[in-house]
Amino acid sequence: VDSFKVLNVLISKNDLNRDKLKEPQDKPGIQTVVSVLSANLDRADVQEAGIALVKTASTKSEALKAAFMQHGGVGPIKSAFELHLDNPKLLREVGATVHVLTNADDYSTMLSKVFDTAKDVAAAGLLPLIYTALRKHMSDPLVLKELFAAMKGCSVQD
């Protein structure tokens, strides 16, 4: 958890550090993040810190958005809704991250994969899970804001 938090600070303070997550290595950093998230689906603290890292890293980075999805990132996102429905803080992070992942920074369909990401999110069955979370947290405007933003990102892509 602390490693995710440190990486998040390093990335948010210096854009050059973001590239370290996608550099060619034996195992790119974003793949490691997805692996850790996938191995700790039941731990809300790990999910929250990892999903926040993905959100920060993917903002304004088409390559990291695509890499996160390519390495199976939709699995931890889906599990967060399924396993941690009662955790508003985690759901805010997940909603914000889905919004970032489905928000095109480059509107050229040749370059942006977010249009495919929105379809992948829908195909994975996340929209009904988002609806359930919306109903569960109707009295929490911060959760609603992020979940509606996530739905918005998925709704206008096709």
Side-chain angles (χ1 to χ4, degrees):
V1 174
D2 290 336
S3 296
F4 281 157
K5 289 179 181 178
V6 169
L7 280 171
N8 200 350
V9 169
L10 290 173
I11 289 169
S12 65
K13 300 294 182 193
N14 184 346
D15 285 342
L16 296 175
N17 288 329
R18 179 180 309 170
D19 294 335
K20 300 287 185 208
L21 287 175
K22 62 182 176 185
E23 281 183 354
Q25 305 166 17
D26 290 342
K27 193 172 191 181
I30 199 70
Q31 184 179 358
T32 302
V33 172
V34 173
S35 296
V36 171
L37 287 171
S38 297
N40 294 282
L41 296 174
D42 58 332
R43 292 197 46 198
D45 60 334
V46 173
Q47 297 301 310
E48 185 182 333
I51 294 291
L53 172 61
V54 170
K55 176 185 71 180
T56 301
S58 297
T59 301
K60 304 280 187 217
S61 177
E62 298 289 335
L64 281 173
K65 290 175 188 183
F68 178 73
M69 294 302 289
Q70 175 189 352
H71 292 297
V74 77
I77 289 174
K78 185 174 182 180
S79 292
F81 283 109
E82 293 171 336
L83 300 175
H84 306 288
L85 186 60
D86 293 327
N87 186 328
K89 194 172 178 189
L90 176 56
L91 293 180
R92 283 194 307 264
E93 284 298 337
V94 172
T97 301
V98 170
H99 181 241
V100 166
L101 292 171
T102 57
N103 186 29
D105 298 316
D106 180 354
Y107 284 96
S108 163
T109 55
M110 297 283 286
L111 298 175
S112 181
K113 299 292 183 198
V114 297
F115 306 108
D116 296 330
T117 298
K119 293 174 187 174
D120 293 343
V121 165
L126 262 92
L127 294 178
L129 296 172
I130 293 173
Y131 302 147
T132 301
L134 284 167
R135 284 191 291 276
K136 174 88 174 164
H137 296 278
M138 268 188 172
S139 62
D140 189 335
L142 297 175
V143 174
L144 294 177
K145 173 185 170 262
E146 298 302 346
L147 294 179
F148 278 121
M151 287 177 34
K152 177 185 164 203
C154 295
S155 66
V156 295
Q157 305 298 339
D158 197 14

